[in-house]
Structure formats: C-alpha cells, structure tokens
Amino acid sequence: MIQTILFWVFGAVAVGAAWMMITRKNPVYSALFLVLCFASLAGLYVLLSSPLLAVLEVAVYAGAIMVLFLFVIMLLAGEQRELATVDPLPVVRYLGVFLSLAVLMMLSVVIWRSPINGVPGTLDTNTQITQNTELMGQALYSTFILPFEVISLLLLVAVVGVVTLAKRRVD
C-alpha cells in the first residue's frame, strides 16, 4: 500500500518537474527542474528494488551531467536576450500543442488498459542486491557495450561542440 502511494507521488513529481522544465523561459530554472525530475526517478528506482540505479541516477545525471548542462547554459547565455514579441512560427506552436495532446491521449489509453500492479518482471524477488548489481554490470559490459560506447562518444562530441561554439563567440 505504501509503495503504491510512493509510486504515485514520485511519478507525479517526475511528470510535474518535467512539465515545469519545458515550460520555463529561464534555462537555469529548467535545469533545476530537470534535477528534481532525476531525483524523483531515483525514488522510483528505489521502489523497483534497484538501489544501484538510484545512486547512479543521482550521481551521474543529477550530479555530473547537470553540472555540465549548467556550465554550458552559463557559458552560452552570458547576456540576457530579449524575447521576441511576435511568434515567428505560430504554426509550429499549434502543431506542438496538438501532438502533445495526442501523445497524452495515447498514454492515458495505455495506462487505462494496463493492469494496476504493472507487468510482472523476470527478476526473482529473492535475488540479493549484490547479485542484481553484478547481473547489471555483466549485461552492461557484454550485451550493451556498443550503446554504452556510443553514448560516451555522443557526450564527447557535445562537449567539443560547446567548446567550439564558446570559442567562436569569444573570438
């Protein structure tokens, strides 16, 4: 019973923080709401009996990646920019609202038809946390090694791109 209540609380906070993140005009506030979203996702990982993922979520995403995001925001948005009074692409705004409502309706249908307890997993409930961590490490460095390396290269390219843009702006 308490897990169900915590699930709905963490889920509501994650969705609310994600909504606030994309609706804020100040990028620093958006980044802080993203940190709140990461923290609520870590709470959901704890409810799924995966404390390793919860710790990694907080340490890697809410810690390291968000520091990088804030650094990029501060580096690239040094001066305060004036917001345009006229919307340059009003059609895109209406298309975005329409697509968002369509996705919301599809998600509500999926949630409405899904069982309340969720889909049962394949992990044995008697599995110890150390075995869970070991299995995750083995899967990460054997089965999922290519996506792992692609993500690291993607982050490296992003950092090089930001430095290049910042250097061009200073010059």
Side-chain angles (χ1 to χ4, degrees):
M1 178 67 181
I2 189 74
Q3 286 184 335
T4 305
I5 293 170
L6 285 175
F7 169 77
W8 286 108
V9 167
F10 283 135
V13 169
V15 170
W19 178 258
M20 294 296 284
M21 177 195 66
I22 60 175
T23 58
R24 298 301 96 189
K25 293 180 181 176
N26 189 338
V28 176
Y29 291 153
S30 292
L32 291 175
F33 278 115
L34 186 59
V35 169
L36 180 62
C37 185
F38 287 153
S40 61
L41 288 177
L44 289 172
Y45 288 141
V46 169
L47 290 176
L48 289 172
S49 299
S50 185
L52 174 71
L53 279 181
V55 169
L56 289 177
E57 178 79 23
V58 171
V60 173
Y61 288 109
I65 300 296
M66 284 313 300
V67 167
L68 179 66
F69 281 178
L70 285 173
F71 175 71
V72 169
I73 289 169
M74 296 297 181
L75 189 65
L76 293 180
E79 75 274 353
Q80 189 73 12
R81 294 187 179 93
E82 293 294 323
L83 295 175
T85 57
V86 179
D87 191 8
L89 299 172
V91 176
V92 175
R93 179 178 296 227
Y94 295 125
L95 181 65
V97 168
F98 172 74
L99 291 176
S100 298
L101 291 174
V103 169
L104 182 65
M105 286 191 296
M106 286 188 283
L107 284 175
S108 63
V109 168
V110 168
I111 291 171
W112 182 260
R113 292 186 179 190
S114 69
I116 292 176
N117 292 332
V119 180
T122 58
L123 184 64
D124 184 18
T125 56
N126 294 328
T127 303
Q128 298 294 325
I129 292 175
T130 56
Q131 291 174 338
N132 189 10
T133 305
E134 181 180 348
L135 291 173
M136 187 179 306
Q138 287 175 353
L140 181 64
Y141 290 115
S142 60
T143 308
F144 299 107
I145 188 70
L146 182 63
F148 181 76
E149 292 299 327
V150 168
I151 288 173
S152 67
L153 284 175
L154 182 68
L155 288 173
L156 177 66
V157 168
V159 169
V160 169
V162 165
V163 170
T164 303
L165 286 173
K167 185 171 174 50
R168 184 180 311 157
R169 188 171 184 183
V170 170
D171 293 342

Tab-separated table of all heavy atoms in Angstrom, residues 51-75:
chain	number	residue	atom	x	y	z
A	51	PRO	N	18.639	-0.183	-5.992
A	51	PRO	CA	19.322	0.966	-5.402
A	51	PRO	C	20.550	1.409	-6.198
A	51	PRO	O	20.914	2.579	-6.157
A	51	PRO	CB	19.704	0.482	-4.008
A	51	PRO	CG	19.703	-0.992	-4.098
A	51	PRO	CD	18.686	-1.352	-5.139
A	52	LEU	N	21.171	0.486	-6.932
A	52	LEU	CA	22.320	0.881	-7.750
A	52	LEU	C	21.896	1.897	-8.804
A	52	LEU	O	22.564	2.924	-8.989
A	52	LEU	CB	22.961	-0.337	-8.417
A	52	LEU	CG	24.077	0.007	-9.399
A	52	LEU	CD1	25.293	0.510	-8.659
A	52	LEU	CD2	24.418	-1.156	-10.272
A	53	LEU	N	20.802	1.623	-9.491
A	53	LEU	CA	20.329	2.583	-10.488
A	53	LEU	C	19.942	3.909	-9.853
A	53	LEU	O	20.148	4.968	-10.441
A	53	LEU	CB	19.133	2.011	-11.248
A	53	LEU	CG	19.456	1.038	-12.370
A	53	LEU	CD1	18.182	0.574	-13.048
A	53	LEU	CD2	20.387	1.662	-13.369
A	54	ALA	N	19.383	3.869	-8.653
A	54	ALA	CA	19.017	5.106	-7.969
A	54	ALA	C	20.253	5.942	-7.656
A	54	ALA	O	20.269	7.153	-7.883
A	54	ALA	CB	18.246	4.784	-6.689
A	55	VAL	N	21.282	5.305	-7.149
A	55	VAL	CA	22.519	6.024	-6.825
A	55	VAL	C	23.175	6.544	-8.096
A	55	VAL	O	23.650	7.686	-8.148
A	55	VAL	CB	23.471	5.115	-6.023
A	55	VAL	CG1	24.852	5.722	-5.917
A	55	VAL	CG2	22.900	4.842	-4.646
A	56	LEU	N	23.187	5.729	-9.152
A	56	LEU	CA	23.779	6.181	-10.413
A	56	LEU	C	22.976	7.330	-11.020
A	56	LEU	O	23.555	8.243	-11.613
A	56	LEU	CB	23.871	5.023	-11.399
A	56	LEU	CG	24.918	3.964	-11.076
A	56	LEU	CD1	24.847	2.830	-12.084
A	56	LEU	CD2	26.305	4.562	-11.040
A	57	GLU	N	21.670	7.283	-10.887
A	57	GLU	CA	20.822	8.368	-11.389
A	57	GLU	C	21.181	9.690	-10.718
A	57	GLU	O	21.328	10.719	-11.371
A	57	GLU	CB	19.350	8.029	-11.136
A	57	GLU	CG	18.383	9.081	-11.570
A	57	GLU	CD	18.125	9.065	-13.056
A	57	GLU	OE1	18.328	8.028	-13.698
A	57	GLU	OE2	17.716	10.108	-13.572
A	58	VAL	N	21.341	9.654	-9.405
A	58	VAL	CA	21.666	10.880	-8.679
A	58	VAL	C	23.104	11.301	-8.938
A	58	VAL	O	23.385	12.477	-9.202
A	58	VAL	CB	21.397	10.689	-7.169
A	58	VAL	CG1	21.928	11.861	-6.370
A	58	VAL	CG2	19.919	10.511	-6.913
A	59	ALA	N	24.027	10.357	-8.886
A	59	ALA	CA	25.442	10.709	-9.017
A	59	ALA	C	25.792	11.144	-10.437
A	59	ALA	O	26.454	12.169	-10.635
A	59	ALA	CB	26.314	9.530	-8.601
A	60	VAL	N	25.351	10.374	-11.423
A	60	VAL	CA	25.756	10.665	-12.799
A	60	VAL	C	24.908	11.765	-13.408
A	60	VAL	O	25.420	12.778	-13.873
A	60	VAL	CB	25.697	9.379	-13.661
A	60	VAL	CG1	25.952	9.684	-15.113
A	60	VAL	CG2	26.707	8.367	-13.153
A	61	TYR	N	23.595	11.586	-13.386
A	61	TYR	CA	22.749	12.554	-14.078
A	61	TYR	C	22.545	13.827	-13.272
A	61	TYR	O	22.808	14.916	-13.761
A	61	TYR	CB	21.402	11.925	-14.437
A	61	TYR	CG	21.528	10.927	-15.548
A	61	TYR	CD1	21.382	9.578	-15.308
A	61	TYR	CD2	21.811	11.349	-16.835
A	61	TYR	CE1	21.511	8.660	-16.331
A	61	TYR	CE2	21.949	10.441	-17.853
A	61	TYR	CZ	21.788	9.100	-17.599
A	61	TYR	OH	21.922	8.197	-18.605
A	62	ALA	N	22.049	13.688	-12.046
A	62	ALA	CA	21.785	14.888	-11.254
A	62	ALA	C	23.076	15.562	-10.825
A	62	ALA	O	23.090	16.753	-10.556
A	62	ALA	CB	20.941	14.529	-10.029
A	63	GLY	N	24.159	14.828	-10.774
A	63	GLY	CA	25.438	15.402	-10.383
A	63	GLY	C	26.234	15.876	-11.577
A	63	GLY	O	26.247	17.058	-11.928
A	64	ALA	N	26.898	14.946	-12.236
A	64	ALA	CA	27.873	15.288	-13.273
A	64	ALA	C	27.241	15.901	-14.518
A	64	ALA	O	27.681	16.955	-14.990
A	64	ALA	CB	28.663	14.041	-13.647
A	65	ILE	N	26.221	15.281	-15.052
A	65	ILE	CA	25.638	15.772	-16.293
A	65	ILE	C	24.972	17.134	-16.079
A	65	ILE	O	25.089	18.035	-16.913
A	65	ILE	CB	24.617	14.753	-16.851
A	65	ILE	CG1	25.288	13.413	-17.132
A	65	ILE	CG2	23.926	15.286	-18.090
A	65	ILE	CD1	26.342	13.451	-18.210
A	66	MET	N	24.308	17.321	-14.958
A	66	MET	CA	23.656	18.609	-14.724
A	66	MET	C	24.669	19.720	-14.476
A	66	MET	O	24.427	20.869	-14.841
A	66	MET	CB	22.661	18.509	-13.568
A	66	MET	CG	21.389	17.804	-13.952
A	66	MET	SD	20.666	18.372	-15.509
A	66	MET	CE	20.382	20.083	-15.181
A	67	VAL	N	25.796	19.402	-13.870
A	67	VAL	CA	26.852	20.415	-13.741
A	67	VAL	C	27.341	20.822	-15.121
A	67	VAL	O	27.548	22.010	-15.400
A	67	VAL	CB	28.010	19.883	-12.861
A	67	VAL	CG1	29.221	20.771	-12.971
A	67	VAL	CG2	27.561	19.768	-11.416
A	68	LEU	N	27.482	19.839	-16.012
A	68	LEU	CA	27.881	20.145	-17.381
A	68	LEU	C	26.821	20.997	-18.081
A	68	LEU	O	27.148	21.979	-18.752
A	68	LEU	CB	28.121	18.842	-18.163
A	68	LEU	CG	28.529	18.991	-19.616
A	68	LEU	CD1	29.897	19.642	-19.713
A	68	LEU	CD2	28.522	17.650	-20.303
A	69	PHE	N	25.546	20.653	-17.915
A	69	PHE	CA	24.478	21.445	-18.522
A	69	PHE	C	24.485	22.878	-17.994
A	69	PHE	O	24.354	23.830	-18.760
A	69	PHE	CB	23.112	20.814	-18.250
A	69	PHE	CG	22.778	19.646	-19.121
A	69	PHE	CD1	21.596	18.969	-18.932
A	69	PHE	CD2	23.622	19.204	-20.110
A	69	PHE	CE1	21.263	17.883	-19.715
A	69	PHE	CE2	23.319	18.126	-20.901
A	69	PHE	CZ	22.128	17.466	-20.704
A	70	LEU	N	24.601	23.032	-16.689
A	70	LEU	CA	24.620	24.382	-16.122
A	70	LEU	C	25.833	25.172	-16.600
A	70	LEU	O	25.743	26.370	-16.856
A	70	LEU	CB	24.575	24.319	-14.599
A	70	LEU	CG	23.215	23.966	-14.013
A	70	LEU	CD1	23.318	23.768	-12.514
A	70	LEU	CD2	22.196	25.039	-14.333
A	71	PHE	N	26.969	24.507	-16.737
A	71	PHE	CA	28.160	25.164	-17.264
A	71	PHE	C	27.910	25.654	-18.688
A	71	PHE	O	28.255	26.790	-19.039
A	71	PHE	CB	29.345	24.203	-17.216
A	71	PHE	CG	30.593	24.742	-17.846
A	71	PHE	CD1	31.310	25.757	-17.234
A	71	PHE	CD2	31.044	24.248	-19.053
A	71	PHE	CE1	32.455	26.265	-17.806
A	71	PHE	CE2	32.191	24.742	-19.637
A	71	PHE	CZ	32.893	25.759	-19.021
A	72	VAL	N	27.292	24.818	-19.503
A	72	VAL	CA	27.004	25.196	-20.887
A	72	VAL	C	25.992	26.338	-20.921
A	72	VAL	O	26.146	27.289	-21.687
A	72	VAL	CB	26.481	23.971	-21.668
A	72	VAL	CG1	25.912	24.377	-23.016
A	72	VAL	CG2	27.586	22.959	-21.838
A	73	ILE	N	24.982	26.273	-20.081
A	73	ILE	CA	23.975	27.338	-20.043
A	73	ILE	C	24.619	28.655	-19.648
A	73	ILE	O	24.384	29.694	-20.278
A	73	ILE	CB	22.832	26.971	-19.078
A	73	ILE	CG1	21.985	25.853	-19.666
A	73	ILE	CG2	21.967	28.179	-18.770
A	73	ILE	CD1	21.015	25.249	-18.689
A	74	MET	N	25.448	28.633	-18.625
A	74	MET	CA	26.097	29.862	-18.176
A	74	MET	C	27.101	30.369	-19.219
A	74	MET	O	27.267	31.575	-19.386
A	74	MET	CB	26.820	29.638	-16.849
A	74	MET	CG	25.910	29.286	-15.723
A	74	MET	SD	24.765	30.625	-15.396
A	74	MET	CE	23.871	29.958	-14.051
A	75	LEU	N	27.747	29.448	-19.912
A	75	LEU	CA	28.746	29.839	-20.900
A	75	LEU	C	28.106	30.453	-22.135
A	75	LEU	O	28.572	31.467	-22.650
A	75	LEU	CB	29.582	28.616	-21.291
A	75	LEU	CG	30.808	28.847	-22.149
A	75	LEU	CD1	31.819	29.680	-21.373
A	75	LEU	CD2	31.421	27.524	-22.548
